Amino acid sequence: MTTTNRALLLVEDNEDDVFLMKRALKSARIVNPLLVVEDGQEALDYLGGAGKFADRDQYPLPAVVFLDLKLPFISGHEVLAWIRRQKQLESTVVIVLTSSNEASDLSRCYALGANSYLVKPPTPEQLDDLAKAFKWYWLEYHQFEIN
Amino acid sequence: MPEPQHSIQKRVRAVIFSASAIVLLVTAVAFVTFEAVNFRAQLVRSLSTLATVVADNSAAPLAFDNPEVAEEILAALRGEPDIVAAAVYDREGNLFAKYPRTLGYDRLPQRPEPEGDEFRAGELVIFKSVLQEQKPIGTLYLQLSLGGLYQQLWLSAIIVIAVLLGSLALAFVLSSFLQKRITEPVLALTQAAEMVSREGDYSVRAFKSTEDELGSLTDAFNRMLSETQENQQRLAEQARLLDLSTDAIIVRDMDDKIIYWNRGAEEIYGWTRSEAMGKAKHELLQTEFPESQEQILVKLLRENRWAGDLVQTRRDGTRIHVSTRWVLDRDAEGVPARVLITDNDITLRKQAEELMKSEAKRLDALVEQRTARLQDTIGELEAFSYSVSHDMRAPLRAMQGYAKALLSDYGARLDGEAKHYLDRIFRAANRLDLLVQDVLAYSRVAKGEIDLRPIDLERLIEDIISAHPEFQAPKARILVETRLHRVLGHEAYLTQCITNLLGNAVKFIAPGLEPEVRIRSERVNGQIRVTFADNGIGIDPSHHERIFQIFGQVYPEKKYGGTGIGLAIVRKAVQRMNGEVGVQSGMDKGSRFWLILNEVKHDND
């Protein structure tokens, strides 16, 4: 229960999906701060603390990144690869959350060091279930690096 | 040829004629000699007889010393004109009487000689004792001229010579005639032989006219001819056959001189037989060898044969490619004597090969180009399906999400009708999402190469059941009735197939009935048949083909749901695994779907 203050970063360009994700997390009673960036470049800026994101009080480093693959400018794969190259982000949990279940995407993401790969569920109920499962596993049982 | 005074005729005639002539001459000489001797003997005998008679008659006149009587007696000799002189001498040897009376004494011997006869100088003389009572009382002398005798002999000689000449003429005629009997068959043989050698015509036969040695000779000659003719015909036949060959057949000696050249060679190289014979083959044809002539010779001597492709020149100067085979022919001592060469014009083939090569190159380039274009298309299609999976499903999720949110957040303020509409939006979006997923699944199984691996069907089905609550009790009963064989397949495809089949089985069920699926596998014709028998509503046989087509759904979607792609995916996936899918079913009888897959022969796992 000490993880409620850890920030979650959602990298998602589709505002509908952002809306549905927020609802699902809410329905699962996840209270951690959720920060959203809308493209790959913004994700890199956020995680790198560039520009306004240098303010870590307002933009804390996330414990978990929900990463969509199909993003404008810089793809999710590139963001993932970049994260895994950053020393200070090596323990950051990256969960790929995408509508693609292509084998090539799966293998590429795991190769790049994704912690998990989730396919966006088609129905809101399933998304709610997924949010609950996330909370249960990643927020209650998963041990984050202590910093 | 000058008409023959054939020497054999002359010689045979000469032999016959000279033999006859010698025989005749010897005969004539013998005859004349015999005649002469015989004549003389006869003359002596007859004169002696006459002398005896005259001597007897002269005995009385002598005894009575009466010369006149004696002369009268002698005068009786007139009857014998050849007696030219006669005399009687008394006991003392004195002339007693003479004949003719007018004869001079000098013509008679002075004294009588002892009894006997003697030829002397053209005369025969005889002395004969005149006896009285066995006692000589005088001597008779007779002298006979041989003129008559010689005349007689001459006559005989003339007759003999005439006969001889006649005989010789006859002998000549006969020899001319007889020699024909010997020479004619010989001449016939000679003529036949000449004809054969001149015309080369072995069908000529010598006429056999006798049954003797010449006849046998003629027979032997004719037999020899017919054998030769047969050989000739066989050779001609073989030569004709060799000429039928469209290959060039050439024989050359070890100095490369051409000693045989068939029609095929004439046609291929343009040189006629007479032009080619005796020429050096490689010079005539300006042969280009694929390797050095020394190497070829070494191979030819070692293996007695050599084959290769040559470039040679025709009479008209065109270069042609030939495929050639050489066979070395050795003589009885094993010394290389000849090379039999068979050449086959492969210029057209070479050209065709060149053409094919360039065509193949062109086709390769074309294929490469097309493949590249196809790759592009496939790439585009993959990008398309990727973007479909991403972009098309996102709005659907939004539709569902917002409908749900609207329902849960504002449900209290909506009436039943509005809630129903929201439900319809929700369900339509749901169905469209299923469709998109199935289309993607179909396109995924239809594309790309896959690896087939041994699959444990039992474990796979267990996993599928545990992943799908709708396949579990109490919603359905899935029974695996036999041990399931391991099959060669692709796990994802097979999972898709079985999920779809089981999904159909539990979906198409009469209301109120618990779906039940019995699974079994068996070996059929070296493959594995996996059967899924359900207790569903069944499928009319008239629809058995349609159900495997895309959107081949035969039941109203409203009643059972589904996209109509499931079985098409099954069929495509099974085909990709080198298998088959089929169904046995009737209305209200349940369905029996089966997959035929390859068995794992040598399981190395």
Side-chain angles (χ1 to χ4, degrees):
Chain A
M1 297 302 152
T2 54
T3 58
T4 51
N5 60 338
R6 290 181 186 269
L8 310 177
L9 177 67
L10 177 61
V11 186
E12 175 60 81
D13 64 318
N14 185 321
E15 51 185 315
D16 295 333
D17 279 340
V18 173
F19 169 76
L20 295 170
M21 189 63 181
K22 281 181 175 167
R23 269 187 80 83
L25 294 179
K26 203 169 110 190
S27 81
R29 301 182 202 291
I30 293 171
V31 296
N32 300 53
L34 180 72
L35 297 121
V36 178
V37 291
E38 292 181 357
D39 60 58
Q41 185 57 56
E42 205 181 351
L44 298 193
D45 291 347
Y46 185 107
L47 291 167
K52 61 173 181 178
F53 298 117
D55 179 0
R56 284 295 176 212
D57 289 336
Q58 201 179 341
Y59 304 108
L61 267 182
V64 176
V65 178
F66 290 106
L67 183 62
D68 189 14
L69 291 179
K70 197 162 179 289
L71 295 169
F73 313 130
I74 294 176
S75 75
H77 303 100
E78 286 167 291
V79 174
L80 174 58
W82 183 86
I83 291 170
R84 284 295 171 248
R85 282 200 302 271
Q86 309 310 308
K87 183 82 181 117
Q88 73 275 22
L89 299 177
E90 63 187 0
S91 67
T92 306
V93 171
V94 179
I95 297 174
V96 175
L97 183 62
T98 174
S99 52
S100 164
N101 58 352
E102 296 293 320
S104 59
D105 280 334
L106 275 155
S107 56
R108 200 173 155 202
C109 287
Y110 285 127
L112 288 173
N115 296 79
S116 185
Y117 189 109
L118 303 173
V119 176
K120 289 176 184 169
T123 66
E125 287 86 356
Q126 284 170 313
L127 189 59
D128 289 351
D129 287 348
L130 187 140
K132 282 180 197 126
F134 167 75
K135 185 191 177 197
W136 179 70
Y137 181 86
W138 289 105
L139 300 182
E140 291 181 13
Y141 286 95
H142 178 74
Q143 294 296 310
F144 288 99
E145 193 181 13
I146 297 152
N147 42 16
Chain B
M1 210 162 173
E3 195 35 40
Q5 201 36 1
H6 298 293
S7 66
I8 183 139
Q9 274 183 322
K10 263 196 260 179
R11 289 217 307 261
V12 170
R13 187 156 34 191
V15 166
I16 296 175
F17 181 72
S18 44
S20 310
I22 288 164
V23 167
L24 281 171
L25 274 174
V26 169
T27 309
V29 168
F31 176 73
V32 168
T33 308
F34 172 76
E35 194 75 346
V37 170
N38 190 35
F39 206 76
R40 278 165 64 148
Q42 204 176 347
L43 207 62
V44 169
R45 214 164 37 245
S46 59
L47 192 62
S48 179
T49 306
L50 188 64
T52 305
V53 170
V54 174
D56 281 356
N57 289 342
S58 301
L62 259 182
F64 291 102
D65 193 24
N66 192 344
E68 283 82 19
V69 174
E71 283 199 340
E72 269 171 33
I73 287 165
L74 289 180
L77 290 170
R78 252 181 264 114
E80 293 288 336
D82 287 344
I83 306 276
V84 290
V88 176
Y89 297 87
D90 61 16
R91 194 175 303 182
E92 283 79 30
N94 298 315
L95 186 64
F96 184 66
K98 63 179 173 79
Y99 167 82
R101 280 178 214 211
T102 56
L103 187 73
Y105 289 101
D106 56 323
R107 293 284 303 277
L108 293 168
Q110 292 299 310
R111 301 285 302 171
E113 288 172 29
E115 200 175 63
D117 52 84
E118 189 185 0
F119 286 90
R120 49 176 81 142
E123 291 167 340
L124 171 64
V125 294
I126 187 165
F127 289 93
K128 186 79 183 177
S129 297
V130 180
L131 300 174
Q132 187 171 21
E133 292 169 357
Q134 310 298 327
K135 287 191 181 97
I137 56 167
T139 304
L140 175 70
Y141 167 75
L142 289 178
Q143 182 186 355
L144 185 77
S145 164
L146 290 178
L149 168 73
Y150 289 143
Q151 214 176 344
Q152 190 88 24
L153 278 177
W154 270 115
L155 192 64
S156 294
I158 284 163
I159 288 167
V160 164
I161 286 164
V163 168
L164 186 65
L165 287 177
S167 300
L168 281 176
L170 192 62
F172 183 78
V173 172
L174 276 174
S175 71
S176 298
F177 174 72
L178 285 174
Q179 58 90 16
K180 284 190 178 161
R181 299 204 48 187
I182 297 168
T183 58
E184 263 178 1
V186 174
L187 284 176
L189 276 176
T190 311
Q191 272 175 358
E194 273 174 0
M195 190 119 155
V196 167
S197 68
R198 197 170 60 240
E199 315 275 341
D201 178 2
Y202 291 93
S203 64
V204 171
R205 291 289 176 276
F207 176 68
K208 177 184 172 184
S209 48
T210 56
E211 287 298 336
D212 54 10
E213 290 86 345
L214 271 172
S216 308
L217 179 62
T218 307
D219 281 345
F221 180 70
N222 284 341
R223 247 194 329 274
M224 200 179 74
L225 271 182
S226 55
E227 272 169 30
T228 311
Q229 187 183 10
E230 275 170 33
N231 283 337
Q232 184 83 357
Q233 277 168 355
R234 216 165 24 236
L235 282 174
E237 181 72 6
Q238 284 165 358
R240 197 178 67 77
L241 288 174
L242 284 177
D243 276 345
L244 279 181
S245 167
T246 52
D247 288 351
I249 299 173
I250 301 166
V251 181
R252 65 168 176 84
D253 62 18
M254 296 317 285
D255 297 326
D256 196 30
K257 293 279 177 297
I258 294 166
I259 52 180
Y260 179 78
W261 185 264
N262 80 334
R263 285 270 313 134
E266 291 185 336
E267 272 168 27
I268 289 179
Y269 296 114
W271 298 97
T272 65
R273 179 170 304 182
S274 51
E275 286 169 334
M277 293 295 264
K279 300 264 172 42
K281 191 214 167 218
H282 305 330
E283 256 169 57
L284 184 72
L285 303 176
Q286 300 169 38
T287 309
E288 281 175 25
F289 294 94
E291 52 195 310
S292 81
Q293 292 201 53
E294 290 72 30
Q295 284 174 308
I296 293 176
L297 187 64
V298 166
K299 280 184 195 168
L300 188 63
L301 290 176
R302 193 177 53 219
E303 294 163 16
N304 285 333
R305 57 190 64 234
W306 178 79
D309 289 355
L310 305 175
V311 178
Q312 308 203 105
T313 305
R314 301 185 76 245
R315 192 174 196 264
D316 63 14
T318 49
R319 308 286 283 157
I320 58 171
H321 293 268
V322 299
S323 156
T324 191
R325 289 187 301 285
W326 294 4
V327 180
L328 184 64
D329 184 34
R330 294 173 186 269
D331 64 16
E333 279 88 46
V335 178
R338 284 164 291 269
V339 181
L340 172 66
I341 298 172
T342 315
D343 289 346
N344 177 0
D345 187 352
I346 55 166
T347 308
L348 282 177
R349 203 181 78 199
K350 283 272 182 195
Q351 284 169 352
E353 278 171 6
E354 288 301 316
L355 198 68
M356 272 172 66
K357 256 185 226 162
S358 68
E359 194 62 8
K361 228 180 255 174
R362 200 179 68 78
L363 283 176
D364 277 351
L366 200 66
V367 166
E368 222 166 273
Q369 195 185 329
R370 296 261 162 93
T371 307
R373 214 182 295 164
L374 205 60
Q375 290 289 0
D376 287 350
T377 311
I378 290 171
E380 282 164 22
L381 276 173
E382 280 175 0
F384 171 74
S385 61
Y386 186 85
S387 91
V388 162
S389 69
H390 258 78
D391 301 348
M392 225 161 138
R393 294 182 68 192
L396 289 171
R397 278 195 309 275
M399 282 166 70
Q400 288 175 310
Y402 285 112
K404 184 78 193 313
L406 192 57
L407 205 58
S408 57
D409 293 2
Y410 299 95
R413 284 186 253 165
L414 295 173
D415 63 9
E417 188 81 358
K419 284 181 188 166
H420 176 64
Y421 291 168
L422 276 175
D423 186 49
R424 296 303 297 250
I425 291 171
F426 186 81
R427 294 218 329 231
N430 195 26
R431 175 165 159 68
L432 188 52
D433 189 56
L434 284 177
L435 265 174
V436 169
Q437 279 190 68
D438 276 357
V439 169
L440 283 173
Y442 184 83
S443 68
R444 225 177 355 247
V445 297
K447 80 171 186 206
E449 286 299 311
I450 55 162
D451 269 349
L452 296 185
R453 302 220 159 113
I455 307 273
D456 182 346
L457 270 181
E458 287 186 12
R459 188 191 55 74
L460 189 76
I461 288 172
E462 224 170 83
D463 290 351
I464 290 170
I465 292 171
S466 63
H468 292 82
E470 70 269 30
F471 298 156
Q472 299 164 13
K475 290 186 178 166
R477 261 156 45 91
I478 313 280
L479 308 167
V480 177
E481 291 189 321
T482 63
R483 282 201 49 85
L484 300 180
H485 293 84
R486 287 164 70 80
V487 296
L488 214 51
H490 184 266
E491 184 162 327
Y493 286 12
L494 211 45
T495 305
Q496 179 97 53
C497 290
I498 293 169
T499 308
N500 287 8
L501 289 178
L502 293 177
N504 283 347
V506 300
K507 194 194 296 172
F508 297 102
I509 189 80
L513 209 61
E514 184 194 5
E516 188 181 279
V517 185
R518 292 180 307 282
I519 305 174
R520 56 192 303 127
S521 80
E522 60 216 314
R523 201 177 271 112
V524 177
N525 298 328
Q527 288 180 302
I528 301 302
R529 180 165 71 188
V530 190
T531 313
F532 301 82
D534 64 40
N535 59 345
I537 54 178
I539 304 154
D540 189 278
S542 64
H543 295 142
H544 284 184
E545 178 51 32
R546 215 183 102 196
I547 55 171
F548 290 107
Q549 294 167 3
I550 287 188
F551 303 118
Q553 200 170 32
V554 296
Y555 285 108
E557 180 205 325
K558 193 175 169 184
K559 195 167 168 190
Y560 295 103
T563 59
I565 303 178
L567 286 175
I569 293 171
V570 171
R571 177 150 79 171
K572 186 55 86 179
V574 170
Q575 282 171 354
R576 299 302 313 280
M577 294 184 288
N578 305 321
E580 285 172 51
V581 60
V583 65
Q584 269 181 330
S585 180
M587 291 301 290
D588 304 320
K589 286 179 183 163
S591 302
R592 185 185 292 270
F593 281 88
W594 43 260
L595 303 178
I596 288 182
L597 295 163
N598 287 312
E599 187 178 8
V600 178
K601 289 274 156 56
H602 301 287
D603 197 344
N604 295 323
D605 295 53

